[in-house]
Amino acid sequence: MLTEEHNPLVLPLDEANQRLLANVHPSDWKNPEGRSVYDLLVVGGGTAGLVSAVGAAGLGARVALIERRLLGGDCLNVGCVPSKALLRSAHAIAEARRASALGVRVAGVTADFPAIMQRMRDRRAGISPTDSAARLRKVGVDVFFGAARFTGARTIEVAGQTLAFNRAVIATGGRPVAPPIPGLAALPYLTNETVFWLTELPKRLLIIGAGPIGCELAQAFARFGSAVTLLSNSAHVLPREDPDAAAIVQHQLLADGITLELGVTLTEAAAAAAGIRLRYQRADKIAGDTVGDQVLVATGRAPNIEDLGLDAAGVETARAGVVVNDQLRTSNRRIFASGDVCSNYKFTHAADAMSRIVIQNALFYGRKKASALVMPWCTFTDPEIAHVGLYEKDAREQGRNVETITVPLSDVDRAILDEEAEGFVRVHHERGKLLGCTIVAAHAGEMIGEAAFAITHGGSLSDLSATIHPYPTQAEAMRKAGDAYRRGALTPTVKRWFDRYFRWTR
């Protein structure tokens, strides 16, 4: 298999991962002979690159795609797909352990970690044909494996060939970065790129970072049986989310047995006789330390822009990545960018949506704007937190006359019946027009799409109220939010007129 001695593409090299590699970086692949000029040349084979390439080829464009490592990018290989496979197993464990609340007796629930990881690798390999080199070739994309480097404003070099293009897309994504903790760089540590290589469960797992990745994996490994300690300089988990929503997740993490060290500054990482020791200082200046067998770093991302020859192409960059305008065009008018390499939204669905804009703007002189996108997101803890649109604070800063309605799940029959009443649907509106929505629920990610649709199409809370929702479902909370708005619209004056009307009609 294609590996580098100190930087393998994937581990372990079992049957499932060999199937994965056969699709996303086949060992017998021969790069094609480059054609004269490509209508669209795509650098990077993650979601942003794949959508750009396949979409353009489907419209009849001559397309080339260059990938340095694994087609499918983070999402397939080290992100959404493997993480959600683990979370599904973790959820099954939690369901079994709390089954007694439903009158079901389940004893002796244990996690078979090697089997959990094997299932993850099998499912990932099963999904990988969608992102495979063979599929790309079948739909008309010339696939080149190797390191890409721009050599001019309209040329790029890969594996000894120089390819010319009319338009190009930089879709090289990002990578995890570790915080500057003294001693950490000298120690082995896990990131989202390597945690899915594990075959044995760490008895003690230290996780640095309380964002979505840190919280999701902390909960999963705790349910698998690891003693998990989550450390962060933030005062609470998921600091970018609605504080009330984050508090519910934080309460559940504690219930899952996770030790939280929040509001701390990590001062040193060092090898210890019993594993790896992290030292920290709390806000009150009191020092502390903790020891684990493995450390997972989940603190941030950096754009993959090094060694691309962007200066030669006249492409401006910044610390956050490739600089683009609202049409996703770079400082080189022939080159666009999409996905994590240029966006604050580090989501697969964001990369997909941006690349659809790139196809229109790059190939058909379109003027579609990235700022027009209504971007939902979800953190897949248990319960999940999903959000779309503005938070109340953001709306007020924009001068909006914002009002907020919260529907507790304890008011929703299905949530009560499911023993999942710890959560809420919270909507922000301006005179009934939906501005934003936060949902905390077992399946918040499945529910947020309704709010995203409403915001995208200028919908109102009255529209939600007038939409029939199946009963009993947790999504009925959206209708309840609409009903609450309509009840609030019954001003004292309107009520007096109704009173007169009913007296007159009796």
Side-chain angles (χ1 to χ4, degrees), residues 42 44-55 65 71-73 130-132 135-136 171:
V42 181
T47 298
L50 292 171
V51 172
S52 298
V54 173
L65 182 144
L71 291 170
T130 301
D131 296 345
S132 67
R135 175 181 175 251
L136 289 170

Side-chain angles (χ1 to χ4, degrees), residues 169-238:
V169 182
I170 301 169
T172 49
R175 64 187 184 279
V177 292
I181 301 168
L184 181 62
L187 299 173
Y189 58 84
L190 301 168
T191 68
N192 74 290
E193 293 186 345
T194 54
V195 68
F196 302 111
W197 297 1
L198 292 176
T199 55
E200 294 184 8
L201 180 70
K203 291 182 179 179
R204 301 165 301 172
L205 178 62
L206 308 180
I207 299 181
I208 303 173
I213 294 174
C215 287
E216 287 179 5
L217 292 179
Q219 190 172 53
F221 276 85
R223 290 176 171 182
F224 295 154
S226 293
V228 176
T229 301
L230 185 66
L231 305 101
S232 175
N233 59 6
S234 60
H236 59 79
V237 303
L238 302 173

Side-chain angles (χ1 to χ4, degrees), residues 267-347:
T267 57
E268 184 185 21
I276 297 175
R277 184 183 304 278
L278 294 180
R279 292 187 171 89
Y280 54 86
Q281 189 175 73
R282 296 188 176 92
D284 58 9
K285 304 302 181 183
I286 296 177
D289 67 271
T290 184
V291 177
D293 302 299
Q294 296 268 17
V295 174
L296 169 64
V297 174
T299 51
R301 310 275 298 171
N304 291 324
I305 55 177
E306 298 84 3
D307 302 321
L308 288 175
L310 296 179
D311 287 343
V315 173
E316 182 184 351
T317 63
R319 182 177 179 182
V322 174
V323 177
V324 294
N325 64 14
D326 207 8
Q327 284 79 39
L328 300 179
R329 177 179 262 126
T330 72
S331 51
N332 179 331
R333 60 180 299 273
R334 293 184 177 274
I335 299 177
F336 293 72
S338 179
D340 288 9
V341 76
C342 66
S343 174
N344 290 327
Y345 295 116
K346 313 295 186 186
F347 313 121

Side-chain angles (χ1 to χ4, degrees), residues 428-448:
H428 309 297
H429 70 94
E430 184 176 41
R431 292 184 291 276
K433 182 179 180 181
L434 195 61
L435 301 177
C437 179
T438 296
I439 301 176
V440 187
H443 303 289
E446 306 290 345
M447 298 167 63
I448 198 66

